[in-house]
């Protein structure tokens, strides 16, 4: 067995990425444990995004927001459509792409999913002052946007 490195031995950005990754996985496990039977975390992520940002989004815009490959998004939506949770319709703006809409069953399941994690979210929110949580969320959102810019435009400083 190797000896672990002291915490300050890693570059700060790598330590940040490790912490964000650990938090993401812990949050995903928490959410998955509370979701209605048969609803996966990726499916819930799509439904929750539709609740938060509205229907009519394109699959590629959702895939880009999540950092998912187009094929993963297509598979997730195909399963959701087969289960009667969403429907894909031609984009009224260009007719080539598709837009995503809730079915009544999908909207109900999305709201059940949100309700199922609310108690845990309240308990987690009590662990730190709301201002600290809000600031951290804003900082991580900003970091995510900058990292996405670096991925899409590697020559941008």
């Amino acid at each position: 067995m190797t000896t672990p490195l002291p915490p300050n031995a890693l570059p700060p950005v790598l330590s940040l990425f490790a912490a964000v990754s650990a938090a993401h996985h812990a949050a995903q496990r928490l959410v998955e444990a509370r979701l209605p039977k048969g609803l996966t975390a990726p499916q819930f992520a799509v439904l929750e995004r539709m609740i938060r940002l509205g229907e009519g989004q394109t699959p590629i815009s959702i895939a880009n927001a999540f950092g998912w490959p187009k094929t993963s998004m297509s598979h997730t939506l195909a399963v959701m459509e087969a289960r009667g949770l969403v429907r894909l319709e031609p984009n009224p703006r260009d007719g080539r792409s598709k837009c995503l809409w809730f079915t009544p069953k999908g909207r109900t399941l999305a709201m059940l999913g949100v309700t199922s994690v609310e108690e845990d979210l309240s308990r987690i929110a009590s662990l730190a002052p709301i201002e600290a949580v809000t600031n951290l969320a804003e900082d991580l959102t900003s970091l995510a946007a900058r990292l996405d810019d670096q991925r899409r435009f590697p020559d941008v400083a």
Side-chain angles (χ1 to χ4, degrees):
M1 182 171 200
T2 60
T3 305
L5 293 173
N8 60 354
L10 294 176
V13 173
L14 188 56
S15 293
L16 172 65
F17 286 176
V20 168
S21 178
H24 167 77
H25 290 293
Q28 188 164 3
R29 284 190 307 275
L30 182 142
V31 168
E32 285 174 339
R34 301 290 189 260
L35 289 178
K37 186 173 174 71
L39 187 63
T40 67
Q43 293 168 359
F44 178 67
V46 171
L47 295 175
E48 186 276 332
R49 182 176 173 85
M50 291 171 61
I51 290 170
R52 201 167 24 90
L53 299 178
E55 298 175 273
Q57 298 175 62
T58 63
I60 195 68
S61 70
I62 298 171
N64 288 341
F66 292 161
W68 292 355
K70 190 174 154 185
T71 53
S72 296
M73 185 83 249
S74 296
H75 173 75
T76 298
L77 293 180
V79 171
M80 292 174 75
E81 194 170 27
R83 291 189 58 210
L85 303 178
V86 297
R87 67 182 195 283
L88 289 164
E89 295 182 3
N91 188 333
R93 282 181 239 126
D94 68 14
R96 296 172 297 174
S97 63
K98 302 276 185 182
C99 291
L100 191 59
W101 304 91
F102 278 118
T103 63
K105 178 181 176 181
R107 184 180 305 281
T108 299
L109 203 56
M111 295 311 295
L112 280 172
V114 169
T115 302
S116 70
V117 298
E118 281 180 337
E119 185 178 316
D120 289 314
L121 296 179
S122 295
R123 193 174 68 252
I124 292 166
S126 71
L127 298 175
I130 194 64
E131 298 82 20
V133 173
T134 301
N135 291 339
L136 179 59
E138 290 171 358
D139 290 345
L140 290 173
T141 299
S142 175
L143 176 62
R146 291 180 199 175
L147 291 172
D148 192 50
D149 285 346
Q150 287 295 308
R151 180 185 58 82
R152 291 182 297 133
F153 309 108
D155 295 333
V156 175

